[in-house]
Amino acid sequence: MSVAEELDCRGMRCPLPVIHLARALPGVAIGDVVRVLATDPAAAVDIPAWCRMRNQEYLGEPAEGAYDVRRRS
Amino acid sequence: MGGYFDAATATPLHPVAREAMLAALTDGWADPGRLYPEARRARQLVDAALSVVAEILGERPERVHATPGGGEAAGYAVAGVRRGRRRIGGTVVRSAVEHSSVIKAVGGDAVEIPVDRLGRVSADAFAAAVREPGVAMAALMSANHEVGTRQPVAEVARACHEAGVPLYVDAAQTVPWEPVPTGWDLLSMSARKWGGPAGVGFLVLRPGVRWVDPRPALPPVNIPLLVGAAAALRAVRADADRQAKRLSALVDRIRAVVPAGVPDVEVVGDPVDRLPHVVTFSCLYVDGEALLHALAREGFAVSSGSACTADTLRPSHVLAAMGVLTHGNVRISLHPGTAEADVDRFLAVLPGVVAALREEAGVSGL
């Protein structure tokens, strides 16, 4: 799986990583993956929750502090 | 007081508690352990207060122990059973959404039972875990303090009973409103949650539970606080049915009106099988701390499970266990002094507050 865009949100506090993800996702093609790097512990909960609310696909945490999201719509 | 919506942390002192405490300050100053008349008076106050609490629970007074708070009661419950059942094992089976004082009391030797999106444990998963060897006890709250969801205590209690494992129920949030679910072996509660004073909790033990008092020495009883706690509980429970119905209808209204007026908001917890006075929601893209301050400027005191509002900067373990949004989180908990007009004013103000914060952060329409 290739990552179309990587967002470096390390050091940012929630809700900023989710806001960056929401801004970036429409910029990639449907089916592409955006990776969010975040150190805020809330990101581990809020990124999957955002995907559920926005009907995007949360792919998981491939490494600690990295969260992959596939644009579904 | 009209905008005070944090009763699940501390409910405003009940006027009856205040009166009872003032009287006890005058009458209950002596050491209840002595033999002279002043001591007898103090002892009578203690006995009467414990009897009131016991009667409300349908228990005998000697099974009710006053503690310095609900958190302390949790600590004594867990430590005492671990001592009493040392030969069986030290593991405690608990839900993922217990109060932080219970989680801390249990520590690392724990089996954590996950919850669903509504914040409820599966009774089957709980039952399977208590059947494993080495389990000292199980801990399950009657209802969750952050999202209001009630837990299947009676069902879990049957499984615990069959497995011979004592069940500790943290009933802090339900005791002001309703009878405790059946089947518990140890119960804790906190007077601050029902309009009693801060600094008093209770631990109640059913007969037959192997509990060895972990306290090195019994602390002196704070008689005025104990008397105030009992007086408030009696007063609150006398009016509980009416208040629970009234507040539950207000919560229903909040649950319906907030998502209608605020875009991108998630109201969490069970909408029906829940506490009468607690409702929690999260606003997408909004900073929880900024939201709390903005509501405070409008005269509303609420709490939040968002990381930025916690000392630890970690999000609420309850919201995390449920897998729901943790930022922009607001918990509203009502109390008998809450008027319908207070809720109306909150509902009128909230959409503008959230919209202004989103505008400021440049996330409107995102």
Side-chain angles (χ1 to χ4, degrees), chain B residues 99-301:
Chain B
H99 190 272
S100 54
S101 64
V102 175
I103 292 179
K104 198 173 157 208
V106 168
D109 193 356
V111 173
E112 183 173 283
I113 307 301
V115 295
D116 62 14
R117 186 62 44 74
L118 296 176
R120 182 170 291 118
V121 292
S122 141
D124 289 344
F126 217 109
V130 298
R131 284 195 287 266
E132 293 293 317
V135 175
M137 69 191 296
L140 182 62
M141 64 198 338
S142 53
N144 186 264
H145 53 301
E146 284 190 39
V147 299
T149 301
R150 285 207 188 90
Q151 299 295 345
V153 170
E155 228 178 312
V156 165
R158 278 193 295 276
C160 288
H161 187 75
E162 278 167 25
V165 169
L167 174 64
Y168 158 52
V169 173
D170 165 13
Q173 293 297 336
T174 55
V175 149
W177 311 105
E178 60 200 32
V180 178
T182 51
W184 54 273
D185 297 291
L186 303 96
L187 186 90
S188 71
M189 47 202 208
S190 162
R192 209 162 59 150
K193 314 299 183 194
W194 66 66
V200 200
F202 295 93
L203 173 62
V204 191
L205 305 169
R206 291 280 302 144
V209 58
R210 276 159 71 180
W211 182 81
V212 177
D213 198 333
R215 294 171 288 187
L218 285 187
V221 181
N222 188 324
I223 296 175
L225 292 189
L226 175 61
V227 166
L233 182 60
R234 179 158 57 189
V236 160
R237 279 294 287 266
D239 197 25
D241 287 352
R242 189 180 70 88
Q243 285 292 355
K245 268 199 201 83
R246 187 180 75 86
L247 297 178
S248 190
L250 291 175
V251 163
D252 278 339
R253 186 136 111 235
I254 296 169
R255 294 188 73 101
V257 173
V258 166
V262 181
D264 289 324
V265 69
E266 191 173 38
V267 185
V268 301
D270 194 306
V272 180
D273 193 5
R274 58 162 172 79
L275 289 168
H277 65 308
V278 172
V279 52
T280 300
F281 55 85
S282 296
C283 306
L284 197 56
Y285 309 135
V286 174
D287 180 282
E289 190 178 8
L291 185 51
L292 249 53
H293 288 309
L295 287 171
R297 281 194 294 277
E298 298 287 344
F300 295 104

Side-chain angles (χ1 to χ4, degrees), chain A residues 13-15 18-20 22-23 40-42 45-46 48-50 52-54, chain B residues 117 264 266 284-286 308 313-315 320 323-327 362-363 366:
Chain A
R13 278 167 56 178
C14 262
V18 174
I19 291 172
H20 283 272
R23 284 202 179 115
D40 188 315
V45 184
D46 284 6
W50 180 85
R52 180 171 49 76
M53 291 171 79
R54 281 290 189 257
Chain B
R117 186 62 44 74
D264 289 324
E266 191 173 38
L284 197 56
Y285 309 135
V286 174
C308 49
L313 294 179
R314 299 195 72 82
V324 298
L325 211 60
T326 71
H327 68 250
V363 295
L366 191 62

